[in-house]
Each structure stands twice: as C-alpha cells, then as structure tokens.
Amino acid sequence: MKKIFYLFCALLMTATACDPMEDTYEELDAQPKAFDPSAVRKLNITLTEANYKSLQGKAGVPGYVNTNFYFASEEEAGALIPLYLNAAYPNFDNKDEITVTYNSLTKEFKGNTVTERETYTLTDEDYALGGTNFKNFDRWSQIETFLNARYTPLQGRLVNLTFNWFSNNQLPTTQVRTFSYFYTNGRWEEAYLVTEADYLKVDRNRNNAFATADEAMLPAYFDNFLKAKVFGAKAGDIKYVSYAVRYSATSTLQQAMAMIYDGSNWTRLTKTFFTEPKTLTFSFENGKWKPDLTVKYTLVSADYETIAGFTNVGTEANRANLKQFKNFYQAGNNPSDTRLWTDAQINAGLAELLKVKYPNAEVGQKFLVTYIAYRGTNVSVQTLFEKKANGTFEVVK
C-alpha cells in the first residue's frame, strides 16, 4: 500500500511541475475575471523564436517567419499570429484580449551583387529624358527620371554616369560630374564612387583599381573614404560604395559594397533584413483570436484646412480659426467665444475628413485619429472611429 501511495504522489508532483502554461495560468488567475466573470481579461506576451518556429508548415506561412522570426507587415502579423494564439490560448472568453509584441520587418537588403554594369556619358539630347529643357541636371529627381527612362529595372544594375550639373552656388555654374548609381530593392541608390584621390591614398593609383587580394581590407578603406566625404550620417544609414577591381591585365570590373553606419564608423553590411518590435492586440471572438487592425492616423497641416472647408461642420468663426492656427480652439468654456470648438463639432469634422481620406474603407474598420487641440497650450488628443454600414464614421464609445 505504501508503494502505491508513493507512486501516486510522484505522479501528482510530475503533473503539477511540468505544466508549460503554469505561469500563464497564474497570471490569468490574478486577472479581474477571477472576481468578476463579466470583466475582460487582458494579457501581454512577446513572441519567442520557438513561437515563430511553431508556425512552420502551416498554410500561408512564408519561410522567413519560422527561420528569421519576423512578419513582413502588420497585415501579415494579424493573419498569422492567430495560428499560434488559437493553439496556445484556446480557453478564453469573448472580448478577452492578448497584446502581442512581435518583430516587424523595417528594411530588406537584397545584397550588393552587380549583375550588369555600364559607363555612360550623356549627350545633349539625353537630358530631355530627365524632364528638363536644358543641357544639364540641377536636382536628383531629374537624374532618377533619366535612369528610369533609359534603363529597365534590374536588381544589381550599376551605372557610372557622366553628366553636366548646374548650380548657382558654384563657379563655373555648370560642371561635369561622374556619379555611380546602383539599382537595388526596387529603386536607384546614389553610390559613393571611389575617386582617383581615394585610390592614391591607399596606394592603388597605378590602375585606379583594387586587387582581388584586397577584399578583406576594403571595409576599412571605405570607412575612411566615407567619413571624409559623407556628413550628417545617422546610425543605421546604408551607403553603397562603387569601386573597381582588377582581376587580370585585361579585366577590370566595377563592383558595389553596402556599408552601414553605427553612429561612429562605417562597417560592411552583412545582414539581409532589419526588424523592430511592434505590438498588435487580438480579441477572442467565438472561439478564435482576431486582430485589431485599427488604422492609426495623425492629422497634418493640410487636414485642418480641409476640415475648415467643410461648411456643414462647426461655425464660420471657429473654422476660420482652425484654418489659421491648424488646431482646434478649446481654451475656456465661454459660450460667447465664437472660436471655440465643442467635442461634438470636432468629431463631426474628423468624421467628414475620414470619408474623404478613406472612401473605400470596409465596414467595421476602426481609425484612431490623433489631432491637436489648443487648451491654453497645444495638447494631443486621440479619438477612435468606426466605419458604419451607411458609409459614415462614428465615434466608438
């Protein structure tokens, strides 16, 4: 009998010690629902690598999710995180919430392999491709327009371009320049083109090219070049360096290397992606977790002018004040002050603005709108709206 009793105790201890959800259960027990069944439980979690890996093989899950541990967008996170939540947290009640912190892709790096290269000098007729009637360029947009007109988009295309550049701030006002442009991640990047003076600094001016054996030293060389020529860089900035490599007496090719600034130095970029933590709230509805994909929008200067133009909102006086100062005047409660905006008038103006900015929003879509109200000083105010079936936007109470 004693042996049976000891075996029972051992089994009981094993069962209680091995529950992976024990900490979660204890946290949930401390939630208000333990005392008030109608209360909404709220939980905060951060996805771990194991959580991302648990999505492997599930329908619609890209490979980078369970290998690189990020989601490419909020929409993707909203669609795929419930696959984990439904399995890990199935026993919640309607309207319970879990706020999930996850890794969101901010920048993707497709590498710096040069697939095609060209050296080209513009003719007088070429400048029209940049949208100018002159025989020179004076802004980046013209160069970009020319590159898009002359070259089909191709990842890894590197072009050394010689052209006339006009500036009122220099003499002569028109100068011949040679810049290098690298097409990557769907756009043209102005690369730093290693100059003859740069090659001279590192004793490579005989051929104005690096040798294949210089590969390991290039990041240190490029760090010095960029520090001397690139000013105002911020940590995280990426700059491509365009440089020549002499492979043989008859073969010299232009190559590109991506460098990233860490706040002090430029180092070779080896990562293929960058992420940042973001949060998304999910609510439990009819046995499934659903994302709250609320659109967050902050009014800009032009929005206040747009609202000031709605004659069915507010009064002529407070609309004029809004147009002038780009905020909703709420300083004091004197009803005779015609500049004052009531909360109801503001909400009506914001609702009209949403109809203009989001005419195709789906019914049920929510918008968290941030605006400035003047209450003796400028304060930031947020109001939540929801698109209704009749096409209007109403405040969510």
Side-chain angles (χ1 to χ4, degrees):
M1 180 63 70
K2 287 183 178 180
K3 290 182 179 179
I4 295 174
F5 176 74
Y6 292 148
L7 179 60
F8 173 76
C9 290
L11 291 172
L12 182 61
M13 291 178 63
T14 300
T16 57
C18 298
D19 187 349
M21 297 292 289
E22 181 177 356
D23 292 340
T24 298
Y25 293 147
E26 289 179 357
E27 184 174 352
L28 292 177
D29 286 341
Q31 295 282 342
K33 192 175 288 289
F35 308 98
D36 180 4
S38 65
V40 173
R41 285 183 294 188
K42 296 184 178 181
L43 185 64
N44 295 290
I45 66 171
T46 298
L47 294 184
T48 65
E49 291 186 4
N51 299 151
Y52 290 100
K53 289 179 180 179
S54 71
L55 300 179
Q56 185 173 6
K58 295 185 182 297
V61 179
Y64 54 76
V65 171
N66 52 70
T67 56
N68 295 330
F69 317 123
Y70 69 78
F71 296 105
S73 65
E74 184 181 63
E75 290 74 18
E76 185 173 83
L80 299 183
I81 290 177
L83 298 177
Y84 165 70
L85 297 180
N86 290 336
Y89 303 94
N91 299 317
F92 275 58
D93 297 323
N94 280 345
K95 296 185 179 181
D96 286 347
E97 295 180 355
I98 295 181
T99 298
V100 179
T101 299
Y102 64 95
N103 296 325
S104 178
L105 180 69
T106 57
K107 189 182 299 182
E108 190 174 12
F109 173 60
K110 292 186 177 180
N112 42 218
T113 300
V114 178
T115 55
E116 290 199 11
R117 48 184 65 79
E118 178 175 325
T119 298
Y120 185 74
T121 300
L122 271 71
T123 66
D124 287 348
E125 292 73 23
D126 286 328
Y127 292 94
L129 291 177
T132 176
N133 295 322
F134 300 99
K135 308 306 179 187
N136 53 54
F137 293 139
D138 62 9
R139 66 199 71 174
W140 158 246
S141 61
Q142 293 172 346
I143 299 173
E144 186 178 34
T145 299
F146 169 81
L147 290 168
N148 287 327
R150 179 176 173 83
Y151 301 101
T152 56
L154 177 66
Q155 172 65 33
R157 188 188 293 277
L158 183 64
V159 178
N160 282 2
L161 204 64
T162 300
F163 55 90
N164 296 326
W165 178 261
F166 175 83
S167 174
N168 278 321
N169 300 319
Q170 62 186 11
L171 287 174
T173 54
T174 299
Q175 298 183 354
V176 178
R177 293 185 175 182
T178 299
F179 283 4
S180 195
Y181 301 97
F182 187 56
Y183 191 85
T184 184
N185 296 318
R187 66 179 185 180
W188 290 98
E189 298 280 357
E190 182 182 307
Y192 176 83
L193 180 62
V194 177
T195 65
E196 292 184 7
D198 293 330
Y199 288 115
L200 177 62
K201 287 179 184 177
V202 293
D203 299 322
R204 296 295 184 273
N205 61 310
R206 179 179 178 181
N207 299 300
N208 286 327
F210 295 103
T212 55
D214 292 334
E215 177 74 17
M217 296 182 288
L218 294 182
Y221 290 159
F222 296 163
D223 176 44
N224 290 328
F225 299 162
L226 293 174
K227 282 180 180 176
K229 298 289 183 64
V230 178
F231 303 103
K234 303 184 295 297
D237 283 356
I238 295 173
K239 188 73 174 176
Y240 292 87
V241 177
S242 176
Y243 61 100
V245 178
R246 183 178 172 84
Y247 292 94
S248 68
T250 59
S251 177
T252 299
L253 295 178
Q254 200 73 14
Q255 303 288 12
M257 181 181 292
M259 304 287 289
I260 186 169
Y261 191 61
D262 64 9
S264 301
N265 301 297
W266 292 91
T267 60
R268 186 171 187 170
L269 177 62
T270 57
K271 292 187 66 173
T272 58
F273 63 91
F274 297 87
T275 64
E276 66 179 6
K278 287 190 176 181
T279 60
L280 187 57
T281 298
F282 296 81
S283 60
F284 201 69
E285 299 179 20
N286 301 318
K288 299 291 182 181
W289 290 100
K290 294 186 177 181
D292 176 13
L293 297 176
T294 299
V295 175
K296 300 175 180 62
Y297 183 75
T298 299
L299 267 64
V300 297
S301 179
D303 294 327
Y304 295 99
E305 293 191 17
T306 299
I307 295 174
F310 295 143
T311 57
N312 60 330
V313 171
T315 66
E316 183 176 352
N318 63 15
R319 290 196 305 271
N321 183 270
L322 176 65
K323 183 176 182 179
Q324 179 180 0
F325 294 102
K326 309 301 187 295
N327 57 37
F328 293 97
Y329 186 81
Q330 290 191 308
N333 54 7
N334 182 355
S336 64
D337 190 342
T338 57
R339 300 170 297 171
L340 283 172
W341 283 83
T342 66
D343 289 342
Q345 289 173 331
I346 294 175
N347 291 338
L350 297 177
E352 289 297 312
L353 178 69
L354 290 173
K355 287 170 65 176
V356 172
K357 299 192 75 69
Y358 300 97
N360 300 319
E362 295 183 0
V363 173
Q365 176 66 58
K366 294 180 181 178
F367 295 82
L368 184 61
V369 181
T370 301
Y371 62 92
I372 300 299
Y374 180 77
R375 298 171 181 173
T377 184
N378 281 336
V379 296
S380 181
V381 184
Q382 291 186 327
T383 304
L384 184 64
F385 290 83
E386 182 177 349
K387 174 72 175 289
K388 296 298 182 180
N390 62 1
T392 63
F393 291 82
E394 296 183 9
V395 174
V396 177
K397 302 297 184 181

